[in-house]
């Protein structure tokens, strides 16, 4: 296994591309590894973070006519974007998705979806085999059981994938609070989606009387 370490291994917004897979009602109905409300919250936060940092985001569903449309909390973040609807369970076998990802020119592929053991694991392992640097956002994903989610994570780690949560990813994209370009946007996302962490951050700013700059410079 190639160990993932060093500064170059950290995720950068300018090198990242996000694929959100099958955040649909059918999958949510049998989500048992997480609180469904938490997964909707986390996947929405992930989408908002990607938009804030200018990370290209691909939305894809499977058989939406039967399985339902992607959560509106996600599609509302990208109101003008077409969702790629597939028949392939393995997203990475759908050439339309792969072509859009490749067209971004980005090398750090980030994936989240439902379910972890099926619609996340298959494209992650496939893309790793094609040479991509793949990160899975585990708390914006979920499985049909705790066991299936955790076994899928173990399987993907063994294949060489990197695991993160949405807030860890957003923090890695931000990297330095002196970078004020997206600090206010990230703080707003934290306020709405990071529960105690977001509110505590606002409290800290209040106590220190150091509001987040709205603009750089």
């Amino acid at each position: 296994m190639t160990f993932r370490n060093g500064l170059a291994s950290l995720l950068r917004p300018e090198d990242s591309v996000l694929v959100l897979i099958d955040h649909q009602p059918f999958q949510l109905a049998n989500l048992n590894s997480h609180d469904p409300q938490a997964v909707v919250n986390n996947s929405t936060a992930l989408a908002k973070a990607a938009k804030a940092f200018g990370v290209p985001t691909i939305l894809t569903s499977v058989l939406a006519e039967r399985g339902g449309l992607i959560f509106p909390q996600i599609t509302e973040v990208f109101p003008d974007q077409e969702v790629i609807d597939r028949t392939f369970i393995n997203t990475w076998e759908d050439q339309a998705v792969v072509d859009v990802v490749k067209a971004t020119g980005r090398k750090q592929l980030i994936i989240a979806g439902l379910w972890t053991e099926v619609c996340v694991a298959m494209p992650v392992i496939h893309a790793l085999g094609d040479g991509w640097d793949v990160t899975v956002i585990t708390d914006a994903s979920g499985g049909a059981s705790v066991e299936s989610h955790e076994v899928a994570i173990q399987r993907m780690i063994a294949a060489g994938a990197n695991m993160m949560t949405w807030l860890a990813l957003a923090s890695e994209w931000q990297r330095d609070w002196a970078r004020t370009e997206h600090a206010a946007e990230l703080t707003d996302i934290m306020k709405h989606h990071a529960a105690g962490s977001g509110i505590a951050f606002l409290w800290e700013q209040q106590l220190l009387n150091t509001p987040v700059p709205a603009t750089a410079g």
Side-chain angles (χ1 to χ4, degrees):
M1 179 185 298
T2 301
F3 287 98
R4 186 185 180 87
N5 51 36
L7 183 61
S9 72
L10 299 181
L11 298 180
R12 301 168 295 279
E14 64 272 17
D15 291 330
S16 298
V17 54
L18 173 65
V19 181
L20 296 178
I21 301 172
D22 303 351
H23 289 95
Q24 297 171 252
F26 176 81
Q27 282 84 339
L28 193 69
N30 194 34
L31 181 72
N32 296 297
S33 62
H34 295 69
D35 176 359
Q37 181 173 327
V39 172
V40 174
N41 174 77
N42 296 342
S43 57
T44 303
L46 175 58
K48 288 182 177 180
K51 184 172 184 178
F53 284 95
V55 173
T57 301
I58 290 85
L59 307 180
T60 181
S61 57
V62 62
L63 297 178
E65 185 176 349
R66 300 208 303 260
L69 302 176
I70 289 177
F71 309 152
Q73 291 91 334
I74 293 175
T75 55
E76 286 169 4
V77 178
F78 307 100
D80 300 320
Q81 186 162 322
E82 181 181 354
V83 176
I84 301 174
D85 194 44
R86 316 178 320 278
T87 59
F88 280 108
I89 298 174
N90 175 11
T91 298
W92 213 245
E93 288 188 74
D94 190 301
Q95 198 59 46
V97 176
V98 176
D99 287 346
V100 172
V101 173
K102 287 182 176 179
T104 67
R106 310 296 181 93
K107 301 302 182 184
Q108 295 178 326
L109 175 60
I110 301 163
I111 290 178
L114 304 178
W115 296 311
T116 319
E117 65 271 31
V118 181
C119 298
V120 174
M122 281 195 279
V124 165
I125 292 168
H126 188 164
L128 285 165
D130 287 346
W132 288 80
D133 177 3
V134 185
T135 293
V136 176
I137 307 304
T138 60
D139 62 348
S141 304
S145 69
V146 172
E147 179 181 9
S148 63
H149 177 75
E150 292 180 349
V151 169
I153 288 174
Q154 293 171 13
R155 183 183 179 205
M156 290 185 286
I157 290 173
N162 179 42
M163 300 292 145
M164 296 182 73
T165 57
W166 80 263
L167 187 54
L169 173 65
S171 300
E172 205 155 295
W173 280 340
Q174 175 64 32
R175 196 74 62 83
D176 183 351
W177 287 118
R179 299 175 180 174
T180 56
E181 182 180 359
H182 303 295
E185 293 170 282
L186 177 56
T187 301
D188 189 62
I189 295 166
M190 291 174 64
K191 180 178 70 176
H192 287 95
H193 298 283
S197 296
I199 300 304
F201 187 85
L202 292 179
W203 185 33
E204 175 186 284
Q205 299 302 302
Q206 173 193 336
L207 295 176
L208 296 174
N209 193 27
T210 54
V212 178
T215 58

